Amino acid sequence: MKLNRTLVGLLTVVAVFLPALGSASLHSHSAYERESLKPFFLRVQGGQISKDRAAALVKKRFGGKILAISESKKKGRAVYRVKGLSAKSQVYVVFVDKQSGNISR
């Protein structure tokens, strides 16, 4: 009797969490595919690019590692200042426009 209750409890937990795990992995996979199709600059409709998205754009374009990212202004526009380390161990700094996603030096 105790074994049956334990088995029912285990099956209930599996039945509740299994669909959530499956949908999460499918959702993240489809998001990954969409990201690979976007160009290096990104037009955002009605919003701004997040710090994570700006870092991902720079890493995809220049490779290496992202060392730091901060908010700044350049020519009156809101930008992210992204500091990175290239594969050849050279430090670089680029700016990502918050509205358009354009990358500039």
Side-chain angles (χ1 to χ4, degrees), residues 3-101:
L3 180 62
N4 287 341
R5 276 189 257 149
T6 305
L7 185 59
V8 168
L10 180 62
L11 291 175
T12 303
V13 170
V14 169
V16 169
F17 289 112
L18 190 61
L21 291 174
S23 66
S25 66
L26 289 175
H27 180 69
S28 64
H29 180 68
S30 62
Y32 174 76
E33 288 175 351
R34 285 194 307 266
E35 292 298 319
S36 67
L37 298 175
K38 291 184 180 177
F40 291 130
F41 59 93
L42 175 69
R43 298 277 178 205
V44 178
Q45 297 176 359
Q48 293 183 343
I49 292 175
S50 68
K51 281 186 178 182
D52 291 335
R53 181 67 182 134
L57 287 169
V58 172
K59 185 168 180 155
K60 184 174 180 178
R61 184 158 179 192
F62 295 103
K65 294 181 181 179
I66 302 300
L67 301 175
I69 185 167
S70 61
E71 295 182 26
S72 183
K73 288 213 177 244
K74 184 178 178 187
K75 297 181 182 176
R77 295 196 51 110
V79 295
Y80 291 113
R81 180 183 182 270
V82 182
K83 186 176 184 181
L85 182 66
S86 72
K88 295 180 180 179
S89 298
Q90 295 178 339
V91 176
Y92 62 87
V93 175
V94 295
F95 299 92
V96 180
D97 189 285
K98 281 184 164 184
Q99 291 296 322
S100 66

